[in-house]
Amino acid sequence: MFVAGFPAGAWGTNCYLVAPAAGEECVIVDPGHEATQGVEDLIREHRLKPVAVLLTHGHIDHIASVVPVCGAQGVPAWIHPDDRYMMSDPARGLGRAIGQQIMGSITVGEPDDVRELTDGAVLELAGLRLTVDHAPGHTKGSVTFRTPSQSDIPPVLFSGDLLFAGSVGRTDLPGGDSEAIMRSLARVCLPLDDATVVLSGHGGQTTIGRERATNPYLQQAAGALGAPALPRRGM
């Protein structure tokens, strides 16, 4: 599998282009703030043909470029229905104080073709097989996308803002829930093989094995649902 990515915009949100190999069809995961040029550059550099945009959740730092990217490529966007409202009204997902500060000149709205994700769905796109896991806690409609194991190729988890290297997503914005994110960590992440590569919404890559051994929140999820105050990672 081929993955190319870059941190986009003011919030450094990771945008990924995923394909079976360079020169083939691909999906675009989380085209966030000021991601359009970076997406176009990777498409051209690696001769990729996008067929869909996949959104791990609806916060503006993950979806700000969804309309221009979908429009330029003529592809649909996939999002969980619980977060779909943020495509047209992202300030609602941030709270009034934060939303008024950051929206500024960012143009928002739904692309022409929006499709809704469901828990456990298997997406067959661009020659890829991606399983959707609903993972509420950061937002009500947060999801992850995971690939299957393939002989000597480790599976990959696109975790959005559920799981980071050494941390987890913030839960203090509207729709956030600290107990729900612990349940999502337990249900979505803990059953995965240690070799699973984690490509998250912010920061560098890690593995499930590394996080199982070192991430205090994943360790907490393995024990009980109660959790300490969560750090402010992601929007």
Side-chain angles (χ1 to χ4, degrees), residues 202-233:
H202 301 270
Q205 77 175 50
T206 185
T207 65
I208 289 292
R210 184 179 304 150
E211 297 313 299
R212 201 190 309 275
T214 63
N215 188 317
Y217 301 98
L218 202 58
Q219 292 171 347
Q220 182 74 30
L225 293 181
L230 301 180
R232 294 174 179 264
R233 288 292 306 276

Short mmCIF file of all heavy atoms in Angstrom, two decimals, residues 202-233:
data_model
loop_
_atom_site.label_atom_id
_atom_site.label_comp_id
_atom_site.label_asym_id
_atom_site.label_seq_id
_atom_site.Cartn_x
_atom_site.Cartn_y
_atom_site.Cartn_z
N HIS A 202 -2.83 14.28 13.92
CA HIS A 202 -1.79 15.25 14.27
C HIS A 202 -0.56 14.50 14.75
O HIS A 202 -0.67 13.49 15.44
CB HIS A 202 -2.27 16.21 15.37
CG HIS A 202 -3.49 16.99 15.00
ND1 HIS A 202 -3.44 18.22 14.39
CD2 HIS A 202 -4.81 16.70 15.15
CE1 HIS A 202 -4.67 18.65 14.18
NE2 HIS A 202 -5.52 17.75 14.63
N GLY A 203 0.61 15.00 14.41
CA GLY A 203 1.84 14.39 14.90
C GLY A 203 2.31 13.23 14.05
O GLY A 203 1.75 12.93 12.99
N GLY A 204 3.36 12.57 14.55
CA GLY A 204 3.99 11.50 13.80
C GLY A 204 3.30 10.16 13.96
O GLY A 204 2.40 9.99 14.78
N GLN A 205 3.75 9.21 13.14
CA GLN A 205 3.15 7.88 13.19
C GLN A 205 3.66 7.09 14.38
O GLN A 205 4.71 7.37 14.96
CB GLN A 205 3.43 7.12 11.89
CG GLN A 205 4.81 6.55 11.74
CD GLN A 205 4.94 5.71 10.48
OE1 GLN A 205 4.56 6.14 9.39
NE2 GLN A 205 5.47 4.51 10.62
N THR A 206 2.88 6.10 14.76
CA THR A 206 3.24 5.22 15.85
C THR A 206 2.69 3.83 15.54
O THR A 206 2.28 3.58 14.41
CB THR A 206 2.72 5.77 17.20
OG1 THR A 206 3.18 4.95 18.27
CG2 THR A 206 1.22 5.88 17.23
N THR A 207 2.70 2.95 16.51
CA THR A 207 2.09 1.63 16.35
C THR A 207 1.20 1.35 17.55
O THR A 207 1.38 1.92 18.63
CB THR A 207 3.14 0.51 16.23
OG1 THR A 207 3.86 0.42 17.47
CG2 THR A 207 4.11 0.77 15.08
N ILE A 208 0.28 0.43 17.37
CA ILE A 208 -0.56 0.02 18.48
C ILE A 208 0.29 -0.58 19.60
O ILE A 208 0.07 -0.31 20.79
CB ILE A 208 -1.64 -0.98 18.03
CG1 ILE A 208 -2.69 -0.25 17.17
CG2 ILE A 208 -2.30 -1.66 19.22
CD1 ILE A 208 -3.54 0.75 17.93
N GLY A 209 1.29 -1.36 19.25
CA GLY A 209 2.15 -1.96 20.26
C GLY A 209 2.86 -0.92 21.10
O GLY A 209 2.94 -1.03 22.33
N ARG A 210 3.38 0.11 20.45
CA ARG A 210 4.07 1.17 21.18
C ARG A 210 3.10 1.91 22.10
O ARG A 210 3.42 2.20 23.26
CB ARG A 210 4.71 2.15 20.20
CG ARG A 210 5.54 3.24 20.85
CD ARG A 210 6.14 4.14 19.79
NE ARG A 210 6.93 3.37 18.84
CZ ARG A 210 7.11 3.70 17.56
NH1 ARG A 210 6.54 4.79 17.06
NH2 ARG A 210 7.86 2.96 16.79
N GLU A 211 1.91 2.20 21.58
CA GLU A 211 0.93 2.91 22.41
C GLU A 211 0.40 2.03 23.54
O GLU A 211 0.16 2.51 24.65
CB GLU A 211 -0.21 3.43 21.53
CG GLU A 211 0.22 4.43 20.49
CD GLU A 211 1.12 5.51 21.06
OE1 GLU A 211 0.67 6.24 21.96
OE2 GLU A 211 2.29 5.62 20.62
N ARG A 212 0.25 0.75 23.29
CA ARG A 212 -0.20 -0.16 24.34
C ARG A 212 0.79 -0.16 25.51
O ARG A 212 0.42 -0.28 26.67
CB ARG A 212 -0.36 -1.57 23.77
CG ARG A 212 -1.28 -2.47 24.61
CD ARG A 212 -1.21 -3.93 24.15
NE ARG A 212 -1.41 -4.10 22.73
CZ ARG A 212 -2.60 -4.20 22.13
NH1 ARG A 212 -3.70 -4.12 22.85
NH2 ARG A 212 -2.68 -4.39 20.81
N ALA A 213 2.08 -0.03 25.16
CA ALA A 213 3.12 -0.10 26.18
C ALA A 213 3.38 1.24 26.87
O ALA A 213 3.85 1.26 28.01
CB ALA A 213 4.42 -0.60 25.56
N THR A 214 3.09 2.36 26.20
CA THR A 214 3.54 3.65 26.72
C THR A 214 2.44 4.71 26.88
O THR A 214 2.65 5.68 27.60
CB THR A 214 4.61 4.25 25.80
OG1 THR A 214 4.05 4.50 24.50
CG2 THR A 214 5.81 3.30 25.66
N ASN A 215 1.32 4.56 26.21
CA ASN A 215 0.29 5.60 26.22
C ASN A 215 -0.60 5.43 27.44
O ASN A 215 -1.31 4.43 27.57
CB ASN A 215 -0.55 5.51 24.94
CG ASN A 215 -1.51 6.67 24.79
OD1 ASN A 215 -2.17 7.08 25.73
ND2 ASN A 215 -1.60 7.20 23.58
N PRO A 216 -0.58 6.37 28.39
CA PRO A 216 -1.35 6.19 29.63
C PRO A 216 -2.85 6.10 29.41
O PRO A 216 -3.55 5.44 30.18
CB PRO A 216 -0.98 7.42 30.46
CG PRO A 216 -0.53 8.44 29.45
CD PRO A 216 0.15 7.65 28.37
N TYR A 217 -3.35 6.71 28.37
CA TYR A 217 -4.79 6.68 28.11
C TYR A 217 -5.21 5.32 27.55
O TYR A 217 -6.27 4.80 27.91
CB TYR A 217 -5.17 7.82 27.17
CG TYR A 217 -4.79 9.15 27.76
CD1 TYR A 217 -3.61 9.79 27.38
CD2 TYR A 217 -5.59 9.75 28.73
CE1 TYR A 217 -3.25 11.00 27.94
CE2 TYR A 217 -5.24 10.96 29.30
CZ TYR A 217 -4.07 11.57 28.91
OH TYR A 217 -3.70 12.77 29.48
N LEU A 218 -4.39 4.76 26.69
CA LEU A 218 -4.70 3.42 26.19
C LEU A 218 -4.57 2.39 27.31
O LEU A 218 -5.36 1.45 27.40
CB LEU A 218 -3.77 3.07 25.02
CG LEU A 218 -4.29 1.98 24.07
CD1 LEU A 218 -5.63 2.37 23.46
CD2 LEU A 218 -3.28 1.71 22.97
N GLN A 219 -3.60 2.60 28.17
CA GLN A 219 -3.47 1.72 29.33
C GLN A 219 -4.66 1.86 30.26
O GLN A 219 -5.16 0.86 30.81
CB GLN A 219 -2.16 2.02 30.07
CG GLN A 219 -0.92 1.64 29.27
CD GLN A 219 0.36 2.13 29.90
OE1 GLN A 219 0.35 2.95 30.81
NE2 GLN A 219 1.50 1.62 29.43
N GLN A 220 -5.14 3.09 30.45
CA GLN A 220 -6.33 3.31 31.26
C GLN A 220 -7.54 2.63 30.65
O GLN A 220 -8.35 2.02 31.35
CB GLN A 220 -6.59 4.81 31.39
CG GLN A 220 -7.78 5.18 32.27
CD GLN A 220 -7.48 5.00 33.75
OE1 GLN A 220 -6.34 5.15 34.17
NE2 GLN A 220 -8.50 4.68 34.51
N ALA A 221 -7.66 2.71 29.33
CA ALA A 221 -8.78 2.08 28.65
C ALA A 221 -8.76 0.56 28.82
O ALA A 221 -9.80 -0.08 28.84
CB ALA A 221 -8.76 2.44 27.16
N ALA A 222 -7.56 0.00 28.94
CA ALA A 222 -7.45 -1.44 29.11
C ALA A 222 -7.90 -1.87 30.50
O ALA A 222 -8.25 -3.04 30.70
CB ALA A 222 -6.01 -1.89 28.88
N GLY A 223 -7.91 -0.92 31.45
CA GLY A 223 -8.29 -1.27 32.81
C GLY A 223 -9.72 -0.89 33.14
O GLY A 223 -10.60 -1.73 33.22
N ALA A 224 -9.98 0.41 33.25
CA ALA A 224 -11.30 0.89 33.65
C ALA A 224 -11.70 2.04 32.75
O ALA A 224 -10.89 2.60 32.02
CB ALA A 224 -11.27 1.35 35.11
N LEU A 225 -12.97 2.42 32.79
CA LEU A 225 -13.47 3.47 31.93
C LEU A 225 -13.18 4.86 32.48
O LEU A 225 -13.20 5.83 31.75
CB LEU A 225 -14.98 3.31 31.71
CG LEU A 225 -15.37 2.07 30.92
CD1 LEU A 225 -16.88 2.03 30.75
CD2 LEU A 225 -14.69 2.05 29.57
N GLY A 226 -12.94 5.00 33.79
CA GLY A 226 -12.61 6.30 34.34
C GLY A 226 -11.29 6.78 33.79
O GLY A 226 -10.38 6.01 33.55
N ALA A 227 -11.16 8.08 33.56
CA ALA A 227 -9.95 8.61 32.94
C ALA A 227 -9.55 9.93 33.58
O ALA A 227 -10.39 10.68 34.06
CB ALA A 227 -10.17 8.83 31.44
N PRO A 228 -8.26 10.24 33.61
CA PRO A 228 -7.82 11.56 34.07
C PRO A 228 -8.18 12.63 33.05
O PRO A 228 -8.65 12.33 31.96
CB PRO A 228 -6.30 11.38 34.16
CG PRO A 228 -5.99 10.34 33.14
CD PRO A 228 -7.16 9.39 33.17
N ALA A 229 -7.96 13.87 33.42
CA ALA A 229 -8.23 14.97 32.49
C ALA A 229 -7.41 14.76 31.22
O ALA A 229 -6.24 14.41 31.28
CB ALA A 229 -7.87 16.30 33.14
N LEU A 230 -8.03 14.98 30.07
CA LEU A 230 -7.38 14.71 28.80
C LEU A 230 -6.68 15.93 28.27
O LEU A 230 -7.15 17.06 28.46
CB LEU A 230 -8.41 14.20 27.80
CG LEU A 230 -9.15 12.94 28.23
CD1 LEU A 230 -10.15 12.54 27.15
CD2 LEU A 230 -8.21 11.80 28.51
N PRO A 231 -5.55 15.76 27.58
CA PRO A 231 -4.80 16.90 27.05
C PRO A 231 -5.50 17.50 25.84
O PRO A 231 -6.33 16.87 25.20
CB PRO A 231 -3.46 16.27 26.65
CG PRO A 231 -3.82 14.86 26.30
CD PRO A 231 -4.92 14.47 27.26
N ARG A 232 -5.13 18.71 25.53
CA ARG A 232 -5.75 19.41 24.40
C ARG A 232 -4.95 19.14 23.14
O ARG A 232 -4.08 19.92 22.75
CB ARG A 232 -5.82 20.90 24.70
CG ARG A 232 -6.75 21.25 25.85
CD ARG A 232 -6.65 22.72 26.19
NE ARG A 232 -7.54 23.07 27.26
CZ ARG A 232 -8.77 23.57 27.10
NH1 ARG A 232 -9.23 23.76 25.89
NH2 ARG A 232 -9.51 23.86 28.14
N ARG A 233 -5.25 18.04 22.48
CA ARG A 233 -4.64 17.71 21.19
C ARG A 233 -5.74 17.68 20.14
O ARG A 233 -6.81 17.14 20.36
CB ARG A 233 -3.96 16.34 21.24
CG ARG A 233 -2.69 16.30 22.04
CD ARG A 233 -1.57 17.11 21.39
NE ARG A 233 -1.34 16.70 20.01
CZ ARG A 233 -0.58 15.67 19.66
NH1 ARG A 233 0.00 14.91 20.58
NH2 ARG A 233 -0.39 15.38 18.39
#
